């Protein structure tokens, strides 16, 4: 707890959205969870890294790779990408010290704190309108874009924020959630380079006896692009919440899939 408090106050992020809306707190909690769930999360990270390396093979040139939702960097084969590409751009709303230290080891790796929805400043003050993101679309050197376990996360904090602080109805929140997911898909499709989308496809909750109690669509009913088929690595189960991690009564597994857009 003390360590987490220290991480919060000492994090150098200047981004008011990251602190005020709770993204920094969530990043710190996620790093702690990744440590507790090392075995199950480690397998998931390995699958992500393999998928990114497959995506890299599809890039015709290797000038710049742009990774959206880089977060902890645990799911990125950073050493290989740094050798293969001239430039590696890692984007997230917030980076913790561990990610900053790791990225510093590579001359051609840059961490960029940026809101990929380009809508959060407005949402933070109560306007539930979604912009069409445009960052890096004008950079012709981007040969590979990876959206990394990000798209289904985009609505979670903003929708909760609007409901809790601005009395936005559940129905309006639902529409905003769908819009954030769709805008990210359209954004990815607007790049000229190869685009790889790694994302949850389904969540399943189990009780303490291991029986299924709920199955849900993390895409807010937006149709997700089809999963690439050529190799078994393109879908896997991620035991995101082993029994006892956040509840003694419930566990959760997500099916993660990879698409090329
Ligand atoms: C499930 S995590 C995956 C992160 C990373 N790939 C990992 O496993 O550590 C989702 C990430 O999306 C980031 N994120 C959420 N909303 C964002 C936004 N609007 N702009 C940029 N990053 C965002 C979070 O900070 C978090 O790091």
């Amino acid at each position: 707890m003390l360590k987490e408090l220290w991480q919060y106050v000492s994090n150098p992020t200047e981004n008011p959205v990251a602190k005020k809306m709770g993204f920094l707190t969530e990043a710190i909690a996620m790093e702690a969870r990744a440590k507790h769930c090392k075995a199950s999360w480690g397998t998931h990270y390995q699958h992500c890294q393999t998928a990114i390396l497959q995506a890299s093979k599809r890039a015709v040139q290797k000038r710049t790779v742009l990774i959206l939702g880089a977060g902890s960097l645990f799911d990125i084969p950073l050493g290989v990408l740094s050798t293969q590409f001239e430039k590696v751009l890692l984007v997230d709303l917030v980076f913790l010290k561990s990610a900053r230290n790791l990225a510093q080891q590579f001359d051609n790796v840059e961490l960029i704190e940026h809101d990929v929805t380009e809508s959060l400043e407005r949402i933070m003050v109560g306007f539930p309108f979604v912009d069409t993101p445009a960052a890096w679309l004008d950079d012709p050197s981007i040969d590979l874009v990876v959206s990394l376990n990000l798209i289904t996360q985009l609505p979670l904090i903003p929708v909760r924020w609007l409901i809790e602080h601005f009395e936005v109805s559940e129905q309006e929140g639902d529409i905003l959630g769908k819009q954030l997911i769709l805008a990210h898909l359209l954004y990815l499709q607007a790049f000229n380079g190869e685009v790889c989308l790694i994302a949850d496809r389904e969540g399943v909750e189990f009780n303490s006896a291991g029986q299924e109690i709920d199955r849900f669509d993390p895409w807010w009913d937006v149709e997700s692009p089809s999963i690439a088929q050529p190799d078994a690595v393109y879908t896997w189960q991620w035991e995101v919440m082993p029994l006892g991690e956040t509840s003694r009564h419930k566990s959760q597994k997500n099916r993660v899939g990879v698409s090329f857009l």
Side-chain angles (χ1 to χ4, degrees), residues 202-207 209-216 251:
E202 187 177 53
V204 186
E205 283 186 350
F206 302 89
N207 64 17
Q211 290 156 334
E212 182 177 323
I213 49 173
D214 191 21
R215 188 171 280 258
F216 59 92
S251 63

Side-chain angles (χ1 to χ4, degrees), residues 23 27 30 44-45 69-76 91-94 114-118 120 148-150 153-154 238:
F23 289 95
M30 233 184 111
H44 161 70
Y45 289 147
S72 67
L73 319 190
F74 293 151
D75 43 3
I76 302 172
V91 177
D92 202 287
L93 212 42
V94 60
H114 166 77
D115 163 26
V116 300
T117 70
E118 297 175 29
L120 290 181
L148 185 53
N149 296 308
L150 168 72
Q153 305 294 306
L154 291 177
W238 175 19

